[in-house]
């Protein structure tokens, strides 16, 4: 079946502009995660959504970052007034409980470059 | 102390070698554990879940030691295609909050 998809695959923006990144999870997956991965670094948790529960926003680095999810479908991550340090790959993952385990499946990511 | 710690490597091994990675986690209430692999400039892909009794999938064996709070991954008969970064992943109690280790790089050489 279809995997997690993300768009755009690449985004180049000028410092100070707003950007919106999109994630389409696997159908039926109740949980959706956003991560940031800077070049040569590990994954940094940003936010997750689980069904209709309040999202866990504890990983968002500043109030310039926000995310929304419509039900159990599409999510958008918005970065306002982008800074050069926001340059990274933004990865989305979705998961469904499997025998007590929440195995995550990742999209290909959006590579954001802030000039 | 980091929540999930891994030896960053790199590990350089010849084809056919056996290599082991360890990972430690700080939250004793953590409930589920995974190994992912990430190829250069690609997204992470699930390699295997780690079960309490240990589990094996072909050349890969995962072990969990709750008392010592560590997870291991053993790769036997290494292939060139095993070259990647291996990520240790821990889900906290309740199952959704996920912490990734920084990864261990493996290079398998002919």
């Amino acid at each position: 079946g279809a995997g997690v998809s993300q768009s755009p695959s690449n985004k180049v923006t000028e410092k100070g502009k707003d950007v919106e990144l999109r994630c389409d999870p696997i159908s039926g997956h109740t949980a959706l995660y956003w991560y940031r991965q800077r070049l040569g670094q590990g994954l940094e948790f940003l936010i997750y959504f689980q069904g209709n529960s309040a999202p866990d926003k504890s990983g968002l680095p500043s109030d310039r970052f926000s995310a929304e999810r419509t039900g159990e479908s599409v999510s958008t991550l918005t970065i306002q007034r982008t800074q050069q340090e926001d340059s990274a790959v933004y990865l989305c993952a979705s998961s469904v409980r499997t025998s007590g385990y929440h195995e995550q499946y990742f999209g290909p990511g959006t590579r954001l470059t802030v000039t | 102390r980091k929540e999930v710690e891994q030896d960053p490597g790199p590990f350089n091994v010849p084809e056919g070698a056996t290599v082991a990675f360890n990972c430690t986690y700080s939250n004793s209430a953590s409930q589920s554990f995974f190994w992912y692999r990430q190829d250069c400039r690609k997204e992470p892909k699930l390699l295997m879940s780690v079960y309490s009794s240990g589990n094996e999938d072909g050349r890969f064996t995962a072990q969990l030691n709750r008392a010592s709070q560590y997870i291991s991954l053993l790769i036997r008969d290494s292939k060139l295609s095993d070259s990647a970064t291996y990520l240790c992943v821990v889900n906290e109690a309740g199952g959704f909050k996920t912490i990734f280790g920084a990864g261990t790089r493996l290079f398998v050489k002919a």
Side-chain angles (χ1 to χ4, degrees):
Chain A
V4 178
S5 61
Q6 292 187 245
S7 61
S9 55
N10 282 282
K11 177 71 177 178
V12 180
T13 190
E14 291 180 353
K15 178 181 172 180
K17 301 279 190 182
D18 297 353
V19 295
E20 192 171 278
L21 313 179
R22 177 187 168 106
C23 172
D24 282 274
I26 293 171
S27 178
H29 280 198
T30 56
L32 185 148
Y33 307 74
W34 283 99
Y35 298 90
R36 177 171 70 180
Q37 187 171 34
R38 292 192 168 112
L39 187 63
Q41 304 294 314
L43 272 72
E44 180 185 357
F45 165 80
L46 297 178
I47 186 170
Y48 84 75
F49 298 88
Q50 164 52 23
N52 294 319
S53 301
D56 180 340
K57 304 180 181 180
S58 59
L60 294 178
S62 77
D63 59 8
R64 296 187 296 105
F65 288 72
S66 62
E68 293 186 352
R69 186 182 186 193
T70 307
E72 292 186 353
S73 61
V74 172
S75 175
T76 55
L77 176 68
T78 301
I79 308 173
Q80 296 178 310
R81 306 181 301 282
T82 51
Q83 304 294 312
Q84 288 186 327
E85 64 263 27
D86 298 335
S87 295
V89 176
Y90 289 82
L91 291 157
C92 174
S94 68
S95 75
V96 63
R97 193 181 189 101
T98 305
S99 301
Y101 283 72
H102 301 272
E103 299 167 343
Q104 295 182 40
Y105 297 87
F106 283 82
T110 293
R111 186 172 301 277
L112 175 66
T113 304
V114 182
T115 61
Chain B
R1 181 185 173 187
K2 290 183 181 176
E3 294 174 275
V4 178
E5 293 204 60
Q6 296 182 250
D7 182 341
F11 285 54
N12 292 286
V13 303
E15 272 188 296
T18 295
V19 61
F21 304 135
N22 289 326
C23 166
T24 59
Y25 59 95
S26 61
N27 186 349
S28 60
S30 298
Q31 286 201 337
S32 49
F33 311 90
F34 307 88
W35 285 100
Y36 282 71
R37 71 171 276 167
Q38 186 173 26
D39 294 285
C40 189
R41 298 176 76 86
K42 297 287 191 180
E43 72 273 20
K45 291 189 188 301
L46 178 67
L47 180 64
M48 57 197 302
S49 303
V50 185
Y51 301 126
S52 296
S53 55
N55 47 302
E56 186 174 308
D57 182 2
R59 298 181 294 109
F60 299 85
T61 301
Q63 296 282 347
L64 168 64
N65 185 321
R66 284 191 184 272
S68 300
Q69 294 179 211
Y70 81 77
I71 309 139
S72 64
L73 177 68
L74 185 76
I75 305 175
R76 291 182 299 278
D77 188 24
S78 300
K79 311 291 185 192
L80 295 175
S81 57
D82 294 334
S83 297
T85 297
Y86 289 83
L87 305 170
C88 173
V89 181
V90 175
N91 277 14
E92 293 187 349
F96 286 106
K97 181 78 179 279
T98 305
I99 309 297
F100 278 73
T104 299
R105 295 200 70 184
L106 172 66
F107 295 100
V108 181
K109 299 187 184 298

